[in-house]
Amino acid sequence: MSVNSYNLFQTAQSQFDKAADLLELNSATREFLRNPMREFHFTIPIHMDNGEMKVFRAFRIQHNDARGPVEGGVRFHPMETVDTVRASAMWMTWKTAVVGVPLGGGNGGVICDPHNLSDFEQEQICRGWVRQLVKNIGPNSDISAPDIMTNSQHMLWMLDEYETILGARYPGAFTGKPIEMGGSQGRIQATGYGIMIAVREALKELNIKINGTTASFQGFGKVSYYAIELYQKMGGKVICVSTWDNNENRSFSFRKKDGINLEDLREITNIYGGINKDKAEDIGYEVLSGDAWLEQEVDILVPAAIENQITDNNTDKINKCVKIIAEGANGPTSSKADAILNKSSIFIIPDFLANAGGVICSYFEQVQNNMNYYWDKDEVLAKLDVKMATAYADVSDFSRENKLGMRDSAYVIAVDKVAQACHSRGWV
Ligand code: NAD
C-alpha cells in the first residue's frame, strides 16, 4: 500500500476529535489543537552527481510547543505528503505528552528516494534542509530525529550545517546522532525496545508468559530490528517479517516457522531495511506475499513499517490466535480497521504509546548534551524501561477505570495535558 493512498491527517484529526468530545474541550481549544501551529513548505535545490540541478520538495510541521520545544523525525520517502507529516507531527505532540517528557510535537519530510541518491546527494539535501529552516529550528525550538530512511549520519550532516551557520556548538538541536558525536547510548535500540517493554507489560496483564509466545512483524528497519532483538532476549519467537523490495516495487514476507535468525537476516538486508529475496530463499526462508505477515498464527503482530497497513480490507485475514497488536509504525491501523478490531478480543497497544521509546531517548540525548556528561547504555535503557512501563501503566489504569480502549485512553490523557498547557499559557 502506498504512503499517500489515503489521508493520514484526517485519521489523526478524527482520532483527536473523539478525544476532544470525551474531554468536552471548548471550540477554540479544539480548533487550535486539531491543526499545526506552524508549517514550513520549502524546496531544496541540489547539484546532482551528474552535474544536473534537481529540486526536492520538503516540509517541516510544528504541531504544538505548549509543553516544550517540538521534537520529531525527518523522513525521506518518495511518496511523502504534507498530510503524512502533519499527522506524524500531531501524533508526536500526544506521544511526548503521554510519556511525560517536556517536549512538543513536530515532524518533517523530504520527497525523495534515498535508494536512488548517492551519499553526497543525500548530504546536500540534509544541508539544504538546514539552510532553509535555520531560523526556525534549534535545541530550544525544534529538534529533529531519524525516521523512515534517515539515520545518524543524516542527523550529523544536518547538525554540522546548523553549527557552521551559527558558529557555535548546539548538539541538542538534532538527536539520534552517532554516539561518538554527542549521540546517546541506547538511542538506536530505544524505539524497538520501547515497543517490547509495552508488550511485556501487556502480556503480564493478560496473564501470558512471554516465554513461548510468537510474533510476526511488518518491517525490518531500525524499529523492528531492535524490537525483535529484545523480544527474542525475553524468550519470544519471531516467525515472519515483511519488507519492501525496491527492485520489484512491492513487499514480501519471509517466514521461518522455527524462528528467524536476526543476524542471518541482517546480513542480507540493505541499509533501508529491504531483505534480499533470493538470498533469503537460499538460507531457508519461505518467501510469501507482502500481506502474509498479517495472516500468521502468532500471539503478537507488530506493524512497524509504514502507515495504513491494517485496513478494513484485511482485518478478516488476521489469525484468531492473535492476542496483541503493538503498533510500531505511526498510524498503521486505519480508523475503519480500528473500529472492527475494537469489537474483537485483540488488545491494541496504540502507536503513540508503543513507539514512544525513540522520543524518550531523544529527550535523554538532549539532557546529556546539555550536561555534556554521558550515561552508559545500561543506565539509558534502565531509564527508558521506567518511563515506558510507567506510561503504559498510566494508560492501562485509565483504560480499566474508565472502560475505554487503550487508544482512547492514551488520547484522553495526552490531549488533556496539552490542552491544560495551552490554557495555562493563556493561549486558548
Ligand atoms: P526504516 O526506514 O528504518 O524501516 C522501514 C521498514 O519498513 C523497512 O524494513 C522497509 O523495507 C519496510 N517497509 C516499508 N514499506 C513497506 C511495505 N509497504 N510493506 C512491508 N514493509 C515495508 O524506518 P523505521 O525508523 O524502522 O520506522 C518504521 C516506522 O516506525 C515508521 O512508521 C516510523 O515513522 C515509525 N517510527 C520510527 C521511529 C524511530 O525512532 N525510527 C520512532 C517512532 C516511530
Side-chain angles (χ1 to χ4, degrees), residues 296-307:
Q296 300 306 308
E297 196 180 319
V298 288
D299 302 297
I300 302 159
L301 288 179
V302 185
I306 57 168
E307 51 275 6

Side-chain angles (χ1 to χ4, degrees), residues 98 197-198 201-202 205 353 386-401 406 409 413:
V98 84
I197 293 167
E201 297 303 301
E205 283 192 326
L353 172 64
V386 171
K387 274 249 171 250
M388 277 303 299
T390 306
Y392 178 90
D394 289 347
V395 175
S396 164
D397 291 349
F398 191 93
S399 161
R400 221 172 305 110
E401 282 158 21
M406 286 291 279
S409 300
I413 292 172

Side-chain angles (χ1 to χ4, degrees), residues 46-92:
I46 69 159
H47 290 277
M48 302 295 282
D49 292 350
N50 65 7
E52 279 176 23
M53 285 299 286
K54 209 165 168 188
V55 179
F56 294 89
R57 290 184 61 210
F59 316 101
R60 183 71 182 173
I61 309 291
Q62 298 173 348
H63 174 259
N64 188 286
D65 60 6
R67 298 183 58 263
V70 307
E71 213 275 354
V74 183
R75 304 156 58 122
F76 283 2
H77 200 287
M79 308 295 276
E80 190 62 283
T81 71
V82 67
D83 281 327
T84 308
V85 180
R86 284 180 177 129
S88 303
M90 193 188 219
W91 282 323
M92 189 57 105

Side-chain angles (χ1 to χ4, degrees), residues 322-344:
V322 172
K323 296 171 188 73
I324 294 176
I325 296 179
E327 296 181 334
N330 291 319
T333 310
S334 76
S335 302
K336 282 184 184 165
D338 197 39
I340 297 169
L341 292 173
N342 276 335
K343 289 187 196 127
S344 76

Side-chain angles (χ1 to χ4, degrees), residues 3 6-16 33-36 39 59-64 71 75 80-95 105-108 147 307 330-332 351-352 411:
V3 165
Y6 95 126
N7 192 313
L8 202 64
F9 188 44
Q10 282 172 4
T11 302
Q13 284 187 316
S14 67
Q15 290 172 347
F16 164 75
L33 292 180
R34 83 193 295 280
N35 291 295
E39 299 200 344
F59 316 101
R60 183 71 182 173
I61 309 291
Q62 298 173 348
H63 174 259
N64 188 286
E71 213 275 354
R75 304 156 58 122
E80 190 62 283
T81 71
V82 67
D83 281 327
T84 308
V85 180
R86 284 180 177 129
S88 303
M90 193 188 219
W91 282 323
M92 189 57 105
T93 301
W94 314 141
K95 196 182 300 189
N107 194 257
D147 203 310
E307 51 275 6
N330 291 319
D351 48 7
F352 71 82
Y411 258 102

Side-chain angles (χ1 to χ4, degrees), residues 215-220 238-245 250-257 260 265 268 273-278 280-281 284-296 301-302 305 309:
S216 176
F217 279 67
Q218 189 188 37
F220 194 60
V238 176
I239 64 158
C240 189
V241 295
S242 150
T243 71
W244 183 254
D245 188 315
R250 54 170 293 202
S251 54
F252 291 100
S253 301
F254 302 90
R255 183 168 70 182
K256 205 168 206 188
K257 284 191 171 162
I260 67 155
L265 269 191
I268 58 166
I275 295 175
N276 183 305
K277 177 161 117 320
D278 299 329
E281 229 156 17
Y285 285 81
E286 288 173 80
V287 178
L288 309 171
S289 75
D291 274 351
W293 72 277
L294 186 86
E295 300 163 14
Q296 300 306 308
L301 288 179
V302 185
Q309 296 301 298

Side-chain angles (χ1 to χ4, degrees), residues 211-223:
N211 210 332
T213 59
T214 51
S216 176
F217 279 67
Q218 189 188 37
F220 194 60
K222 297 182 292 294
V223 174

